C-alpha cells in the first residue's frame, strides 16, 4: 500500500468516513439477510431472516468504501459526479448509499428514513416484487444495469463525452476486468478530449476473486499490473490493504491526487496550453474479498476468500451457531452508533453526504431524459431523390442518408454523435465529414491530413470494437444525448447481448419506473448487407440480427427495411426523433433502384406496408397470386419476377406488396404496429398464394405471421446459408430469392398454372442455369442483369 507522506484527513474526517462505510456495509448485509429486526435492537432470531437467501455481498465493502470517499471530494470540490458500479450483482452498495443519502426514500416514500422504512428496504431486496441485485432502472443514481459484465467503462466514457463539467467514477470489478469489452474500453482514453468532454476516473477494484476462482489481474506481479495500465495510457495509483485506518488515509491521498490531476489536465486543455493526449489517472484498489466479514467459519476462510461471494454464512435459519456468527457480524458495525432510536441516520453522519443534485444518487445525468433536448432536425424532404418513373435510376441509398446526417450533425454539434467500427465512409456516410471529423486523441502523422479525417474535435466515433461503440452510445443516450450506430450486417451480432441488455433497461424504465424520463432511442443502421458481398463471401453473409431483435418486448423494438433512398430518409427522420425505442434500420450501401417519390415514400413509410399499383395488374380484382417483399435487394428481385410474369403470363393477375415496417406483419395482439386481421387479409387475400421475398432468414416471417388466418398460403424466400464469393444474382439464385425462383414459385402455387405454364417454368429454370454458369465463367452477372430496370406498363 502506498502511504501518503502526510495525513490528508482530519481526525473528524477519518471518523466520519469510517462511520459512513460501516453504515453502508451494515445496510448491504441487511439487504442480504434481514426481513425484520433492522437495527438489531434485540437478539437475532431465525424469524428475522429472509425466507430466501438471495443476493451478493462480496464486493460491497469495497464499493461502500469508494462511495464514502467520493462523497468527501464531491463536497470539498463541489463536483458534478456520477457513479457506475461495474461489479456483478453490484446493487447492494449502490442501494445502501442511495438510502443513506436520502434519495431512495424520496423516490420510494414507503422505504422511509426510519426503522419501518429500513425494514421494508431490507425485505424488498432480491425478493419477488422487490428490486434486483443489479443496478436496475429502479435504482436511483444508476445508468448501468450490470446484469452482463463488460460494459461499465464504455458506459462511463459515453456519459463523459460532451459533458465538460461531469466526472464519472466507474468501478471495474475482478470478473468484469477479464471480459473482452472491458479490455477494449480501456482505449476510450484516446477519444476523450479534455477541452470539451468530462472526465472518467476508473477504479479497478481487485478483491482477488470472482464467483469461485481467483481473478487474473489480482494474481499477477504488482509491477506487471501497473505496467499494463501504464501501457493503456493511464497513471495508476495503487491503494492496497485491509486496515481501515490506513486504507482511509491512503484512499483519500490517492483520490485527492487524481482529482488534482484531472483538474490540471482540463485546465491546461481549456486554456489552450496542451494539445497532446493526456495521461489520465486511475486507481487500483486492492481489498480482501468480503472485507469485514467473519475471518473463518467452520474451519474455512471467509474474508479474503471466494467463500465471501454471494451468501457467506449459510443455514442461519436452521443452524444456531451460524445465526450467532451472523449476529456478531451485524453487531460489529455498531448500528446503535450510526442510527438513532427511531432508525434515522445520525445527523453527524449525514454531513458527509453532498446536498441535493450533487448527491451521486440524485445527479440529473443518471436520469438523462430530464436533460434531453430534442434534436433539431433538418427537413428530410430537402434531400429527396427525384424520379419520373419507378425503378429507372440507381442511387446509393446510404449516401443520400449521409447528406441528411451531415446536417443533423451541423444543427446539433453538442449532443449528437455518429458511431461506427471504421466503416462510416465504407457505409457511404462520408458527407458527415463536411462538418466534422473523426474523434482522435492518439498520435497523428502528416499522412493523416490527406483524407484521414482525424481531429481532437471530431464527432464521428470510430473504433474497431462494436462493444465499445455500443457502450459509448448507450452511455451517451442514457445521459440525455442522441446518436446513431452504423455497422456491417454480419458483425452487428457482436453486440447482440448489449442490445438485449439495453432493451431490457428501456422496458423497465418505460413501463415500471415512472420517475425515469424518456431517453433518445438507440438507432442502429445495418449496412453492407448479406446480398452484396461479392468479394467478402460467406463470412459476411448473416442477416440474423433481426431474429435476435424480434425476441425483445414488442413495445420497445422496431425494424425498418426501406427499399429506396426516399423511404430511408423518412424512416431515419422518424427514428432520430423517437424516444425509448431500439430502432433497427436495414439499408445496403451499394447502388439500388429507386421506386417512390418523396411524397409516396412518406405515405408508404407512415403505413409501414402497402400495395404498389404500378407493379400490380389485379386492377381491383382478387389476384391469382401476391408477390411481396421486404428489403432492398429482395424488392428488386421480386419486382423483376413480377415483370417476368407480366411478360410471359399476361393473363395472370399479380398483386405486389412492399413491407417497410416489419412489425406490421404480426397481429396487434403481438405488436402495437400490427395490422388488424381484416386489413392483413385485405392486402394478402384470404386464400391466394403469397410469395414473400425477405431480406433475412425465411423462418422469421413465419414466426411473425403464424397467427394470421391465411398463414398457410405464405411461401417465404430468404437467406438459407448458401454462399461463397458470388455475384449478386448468383447468390440470389443459390438462396432462391432471385426473380426466376420467385416466378417459378408463383407458377407452382397458383392452382392449375403449373400445367398451363410448363414451358414458361422450363424457360425460367434454364435462365437460372445460364446465369449460374455465366457467373462462374465471367465473374460478373450479364449486363442486362446489372443494368436491369423496371419497365412500367
Amino acid at each position: 500500500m502506498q502511504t501518503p507522506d502526510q495525513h490528508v484527513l482530519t481526525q473528524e474526517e477519518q471518523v466520519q468516513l469510517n462511520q459512513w462505510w460501516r453504515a453502508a456495509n451494515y445496510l448491504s448485509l441487511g439487504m442480504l439477510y434481514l426481513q425484520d429486526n433492522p437495527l438489531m435492537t434485540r437478539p437475532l432470531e431465525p424469524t428475522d431472516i429472509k425466507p430466501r437467501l438471495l443476493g451478493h455481498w462480496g464486493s460491497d465493502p469495497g464499493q461502500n468504501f469508494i462511495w464514502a470517499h467520493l462523497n468527501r471530494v464531491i463536497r470539498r470540490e463541489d463536483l458534478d459526479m456520477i457513479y457506475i458500479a461495474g461489479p456483478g450483482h453490484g446493487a447492494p452498495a449502490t442501494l445502501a448509499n442511495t438510502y443513506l443519502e436520502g434519495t431512495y426514500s424520496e423516490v420510494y416514500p414507503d422505504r422511509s428514513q426510519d426503522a419501518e422504512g429500513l425494514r421494508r428496504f431490507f425485505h424488498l431486496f432480491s425478493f419477488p416484487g422487490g428490486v434486483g441485485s443489479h443496478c436496475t432502472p429502479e435504482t436511483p443514481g444508476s445508468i448501468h444495469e450490470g446484469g452482463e459484465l463488460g460494459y461499465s467503462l464504455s458506459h462511463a466514457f459515453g456519459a463523459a463525452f460532451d459533458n465538460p463539467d461531469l466526472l464519472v467514477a466507474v468501478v471495474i470489478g475482478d470478473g468484469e476486468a477479464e471480459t473482452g469489452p472491458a479490455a477494449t474500453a480501456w482505449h476510450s482514453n484516446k477519444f476523450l478530449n479534455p477541452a470539451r468532454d468530462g472526465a472518467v476516473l476508473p477504479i479497478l477494484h481487485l478483491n482477488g476473486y470472482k464467483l469461485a476462482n481467483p481473478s487474473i489481474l489480482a494474481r499477477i506481479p504488482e509491477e506487471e499490473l501497473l505496467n499494463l495500465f501504464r501501457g493503456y495510457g493511464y497513471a495508476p495509483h495503487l491503494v492496497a490493504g485491509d486496515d481501515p485506518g490506513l486504507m482511509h488515509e491512503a484512499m483519500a491521498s490517492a483520490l485527492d491526487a487524481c482529482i488534482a490531476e484531472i483538474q490540471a489536465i482540463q485546465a491546461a486543455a481549456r486554456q489552450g496550453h496542451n494539445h497532446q493526449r493526456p495521461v489520465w489517472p486511475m486507481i487500483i484498489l486492492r481489498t480482501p474479498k468480503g472485507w469485514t466479514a467473519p475471518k473463518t467459519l467452520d474451519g474455512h476462510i471467509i474474508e479474503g476468500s471466494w467463500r465471501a461471494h454471494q451468501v457467506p454464512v449459510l443455514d442461519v435459519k436452521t443452524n444456531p451457531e451460524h445465526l450467532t456468527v451472523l449476529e456478531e457480524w451485524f453487531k460489529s458495525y455498531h448500528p446503535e452508533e450510526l442510527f438513532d432510536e427511531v432508525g434515522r441516520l445520525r445527523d453527524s453522519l449525514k454531513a458527509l453526504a453532498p446536498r441535493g443534485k450533487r448527491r451521486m444518487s440524485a445527479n440529473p445525468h443518471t436520469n438523462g431524459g430530464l436533460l434531453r433536448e430534442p434534436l433539431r432536425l433538418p427537413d428530410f424532404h430537402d434531400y429527396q431523390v427525384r424520379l419520373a418513373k419507378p425503378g429507372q435510376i440507381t442511387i446509393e441509398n446510404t449516401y443520400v442518408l449521409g447528406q441528411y446526417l451531415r446536417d443533423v450533425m451541423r444543427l446539433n454539434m453538442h449532443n449528437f454523435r455518429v458511431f461506427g467500427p471504421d466503416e462510416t465512409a465504407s457505409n457511404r456516410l462520408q458527407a458527415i465529414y463536411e462538418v466534422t471529423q473523426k474523434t482522435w486523441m492518439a498520435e497523428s502523422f502528416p499522412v493523416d491530413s490527406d483524407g484521414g479525417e482525424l481531429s481532437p474535435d471530431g464527432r464521428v466515433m470510430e473504433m474497431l470494437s462494436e462493444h465499445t461503440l455500443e457502450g459509448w452510445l448507450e452511455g451517451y443516450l442514457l445521459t440525455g444525448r442522441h446518436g446513431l450506430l452504423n455497422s456491417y450486417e454480419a458483425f452487428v451480432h457482436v453486440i447482440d447481448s448489449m442490445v438485449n441488455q439495453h432493451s431490457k433497461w428501456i422496458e423497465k424504465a418505460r413501463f415500471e419506473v415512472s420517475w425515469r424520463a424518456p431517453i433518445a432511442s438507440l438507432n442502429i443502421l445495418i449496412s453492407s448487407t448479406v446480398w452484396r458481398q461479392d468479394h467478402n463471401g460467406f463470412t459476411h453473409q448473416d442477416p440474423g440480427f433481426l431474429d435476435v431483435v424480434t425476441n425483445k418486448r414488442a413495445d420497445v423494438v422496431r425494424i425498418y427495411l426501406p427499399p429506396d433512398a426516399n423511404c430511408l430518409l423518412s424512416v431515419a427522420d422518424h427514428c432520430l426523433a423517437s424516444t425509448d425505442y431500439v430502432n433497427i434500420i436495414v439499408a445496403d450501401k451499394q447502388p439500388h433502384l429507386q421506386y417512390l417519390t418523396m411524397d409516396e415514400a412518406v405515405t408508404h413509410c407512415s403505413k409501414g406496408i402497402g400495395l404498389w399499383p404500378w407493379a400490380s395488374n389485379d386492377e381491383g380484382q382478387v389476384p391469382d397470386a401476391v408477390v411481396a417483399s421486404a428489403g432492398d435487394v429482395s424488392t428488386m428481385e421480386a419486382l423483376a419476377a413480377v415483370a417476368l410474369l407480366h411478360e410471359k403470363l399476361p393473363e395472370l393477375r399479380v398483386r405486389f406488396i412492399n413491407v417497410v415496417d416489419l412489425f406490421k406483419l404480426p397481429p396487434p395482439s403481438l405488436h402495437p404496429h400490427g395490422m388488424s386481421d381484416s386489413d392483413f387479409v385485405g392486402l394478402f387475400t384470404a386464400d391466394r398464394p403469397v410469395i414473400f421475398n425477405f431480406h433475412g432468414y425465411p423462418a422469421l416471417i413465419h414466426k411473425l405471421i403464424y397467427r394470421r388466418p391465411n398463414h398457410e398460403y405464405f411461401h417465404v424466400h430468404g437467406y438459407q446459408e448458401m454462399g461463397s464469393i458470388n455475384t449478386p444474382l448468383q447468390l440470389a439464385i443459390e438462396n432462391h430469392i432471385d426473380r426466376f425462383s420467385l416466378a417459378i414459385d408463383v407458377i407452382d402455387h397458383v392452382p392449375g398454372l403449373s400445367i398451363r405454364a410448363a414451358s414458361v417454368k422450363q424457360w425460367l429454370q434454364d435462365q437460372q442455369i445460364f446465369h449460374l454458369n455465366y457467373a462462374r465463367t465471367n465473374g460478373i452477372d450479364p449486363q442486362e442483369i446489372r443494368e436491369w430496370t423496371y419497365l412500367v406498363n
Side-chain angles (χ1 to χ4, degrees), residues 444-454:
S444 294
F445 297 151
V447 69
D448 296 328
S449 62
D450 184 17
E453 304 293 353
L454 304 180

Side-chain angles (χ1 to χ4, degrees), residues 107-284:
V107 175
Y108 303 105
D110 62 323
R111 278 146 272 190
S112 49
Q113 297 281 300
D114 53 32
E116 181 55 36
L118 191 55
R119 179 181 292 107
R120 185 161 178 78
F121 179 70
F122 286 163
H123 174 73
L124 288 175
F125 173 75
S126 201
F127 196 82
V131 298
S133 60
H134 307 125
C135 293
T136 59
E138 295 94 330
T139 306
S142 176
I143 65 166
H144 175 78
E145 206 272 358
E148 182 180 12
L149 297 179
Y151 314 126
S152 63
L153 192 57
S154 56
H155 283 162
F157 277 92
F161 293 138
D162 294 320
N163 255 334
D165 298 325
L166 185 66
L167 174 56
V168 186
V170 52
V171 180
I172 303 97
D174 294 69
E176 182 167 39
E178 297 180 9
T179 64
T184 58
W186 287 108
H187 289 298
S188 302
N189 58 357
K190 287 80 174 176
F191 299 85
L192 194 72
N193 185 340
R196 63 168 181 182
D197 298 327
V200 174
L201 177 60
I203 303 173
L204 176 64
H205 181 211
L206 299 178
N207 58 31
Y209 294 88
K210 305 182 286 282
L211 176 64
N213 284 299
S215 59
I216 295 172
L217 294 185
R219 294 291 184 94
I220 63 176
E222 181 178 298
E223 192 61 21
E224 184 179 339
L225 177 68
L226 294 173
N227 283 338
L228 173 66
F229 290 98
R230 289 173 184 143
Y232 272 129
Y234 294 89
H237 296 254
L238 180 63
V239 178
D242 61 1
D243 181 283
L246 296 177
M247 288 292 285
H248 282 304
E249 193 70 40
M251 185 65 175
S253 177
L255 193 52
D256 285 357
C258 290
I259 298 301
E261 290 171 29
I262 289 170
Q263 291 174 338
I265 289 169
Q266 291 179 332
R270 293 170 189 183
Q271 294 168 12
H273 300 320
N274 187 358
H275 300 286
Q276 302 301 313
R277 175 172 65 91
V279 178
W280 294 96
M282 65 168 293
I283 293 174
I284 300 175

